Amino acid sequence: MTSIVIPAHNEGRVIGRLLDALLAGAPAQGPDIVVVCNGCTDDTAAVAGARGPRVRVVEIPTPSKHTALRVGDEHARGFPRLYVDADVVVGAADVRALTDALATSPDLLAAAPGRDIPLTACAWPVRAYYRVWQRLPAVREGLFGRGVIAVSEPGYARIAALPPLMADDLAASLAFAPAERLVVEAARVVVLPPRTWGDLIKRRVRAATSSAELERFQASAASGPASPVPSARTGTGDLRALLRDQPRLLPGVVVFVVAALAARRGARRAIRTGDFSTWLRDESSRQG
């Protein structure tokens, strides 16, 4: 049986739309859905529980996504297994497309859906940023930034061994070689972007901080100086190649660079002090 684990911290405003999408068109016998409410002080558990017996709700006092994922694993009943962020929207048909893809080859360990990012309600700089971000090779090919990852049982063993990291989806994506992972464009997930520049910078500061934490872990785990370390960083060469192909994106590239520099400045103190637990969350993407 396919299991879906959803870690949720104070997501009462948005988790209902995700659960409704997952349940619509799904067979009565599945999938197995586990919502792990971690450290919630709002009505997340009540909203999830109102969806009926097909959704199992587990409550834990600790506000930790990593802990919630592992607790969800303890309650999940089968494989393939999907880990889904509470603030995205993915449907039952998309879940089936992901699990079907994993069934095609024993060498395929992880899959994620294509992402749709609705930008209509966003400020101009946010729209410009995402038009560049979505076109970057690492972003197109990686499993991160989608809020959904599906794994086979051997794939689960790979990511379950990872330590608690803020960049959990990036670490999961990089844990698989390109031949072991797949973006299934036939499956789609709606990822709600921040609407304001300030909230975008919050997300980018969090990304810069979490990437630094991941790189420290990779460096300590490397078996030797010659060991290749996988990375999803964007370089100036990526941006130059994008501009050669699509010169009209120049304003967006300028915005992208400004956001990257602001995020680097904003993350500097957290990186220096080793604060990899403060979660900067944008609320504008959770507006109705």
Side-chain angles (χ1 to χ4, degrees):
M1 174 183 287
T2 298
S3 284
I4 301 174
V5 174
I6 305 172
H9 172 69
N10 289 345
E11 299 287 10
R13 286 190 290 173
V14 296
I15 195 169
R17 68 190 180 195
L18 168 61
L19 293 173
D20 289 344
L22 288 172
L23 293 170
Q29 67 272 23
D32 167 43
I33 301 175
V34 182
V35 176
V36 184
C37 302
N38 57 102
C40 290
T41 57
D42 69 350
D43 61 347
T44 300
V47 173
R51 266 57 191 179
R54 296 168 68 186
V55 177
R56 292 185 290 138
V57 179
V58 179
E59 295 186 72
I60 61 174
T62 308
S64 163
K65 183 178 180 181
H66 179 82
T67 301
L69 290 170
R70 300 292 75 86
V71 169
D73 284 328
E74 294 171 3
H75 288 80
R77 293 171 176 157
F79 291 95
R81 186 163 300 168
L82 280 79
Y83 299 99
V84 181
D85 290 350
D87 60 336
V88 303
V89 183
V90 64
D94 307 296
V95 170
R96 287 193 294 272
L98 291 171
T99 57
D100 288 349
L102 288 174
T104 61
S105 169
D107 296 326
L108 186 62
L109 304 183
R115 57 168 91 74
D116 296 323
I117 303 180
L119 297 171
T120 305
C122 300
W124 176 84
V126 177
R127 298 197 303 271
Y129 177 91
Y130 277 102
R131 285 173 185 144
V132 170
W133 184 80
Q134 292 184 84
R135 289 172 167 85
L136 297 172
V139 174
R140 293 199 313 269
E141 299 163 8
L143 305 185
F144 61 91
R146 302 171 191 274
V148 179
I149 183 171
V151 294
S152 64
E153 192 164 2
Y156 158 75
R158 183 83 57 87
I159 63 173
L162 293 171
L165 292 167
M166 188 185 293
D168 60 303
D169 60 340
L170 177 58
S173 179
L174 295 178
F176 302 101
E180 297 175 321
R181 65 179 190 247
L182 178 68
V183 175
V184 182
E185 293 293 344
R188 309 301 300 177
V189 60
V190 178
V191 180
L192 281 298
R195 296 185 178 184
T196 69
W197 176 254
D199 278 323
L200 172 64
I201 297 304
K202 282 184 182 178
R203 281 202 188 188
R204 301 324 303 164
V205 169
R206 187 178 77 210
T209 305
S210 59
S211 293
E213 180 193 26
L214 175 58
E215 287 168 359
R216 288 187 181 185
F217 164 73
Q218 290 172 321
S220 65
S223 58
S227 300
V229 177
S231 174
R233 277 196 178 273
T234 296
T236 55
D238 297 313
L239 297 176
R240 285 197 296 266
L242 188 61
L243 282 176
R244 282 195 301 269
D245 186 50
Q246 301 182 66
R248 63 183 178 81
L249 289 176
L250 177 59
V253 169
V254 172
V255 170
F256 184 92
V257 171
V258 170
L261 293 174
R264 189 178 303 170
R265 286 196 302 270
R268 193 173 296 153
R269 182 178 182 277
I271 295 170
R272 186 176 64 251
T273 60
D275 178 9
F276 299 119
S277 60
T278 300
W279 188 273
L280 296 179
R281 166 164 143 164
D282 81 272
E283 295 296 339
S284 63
S285 62
R286 292 169 169 83
Q287 295 175 9

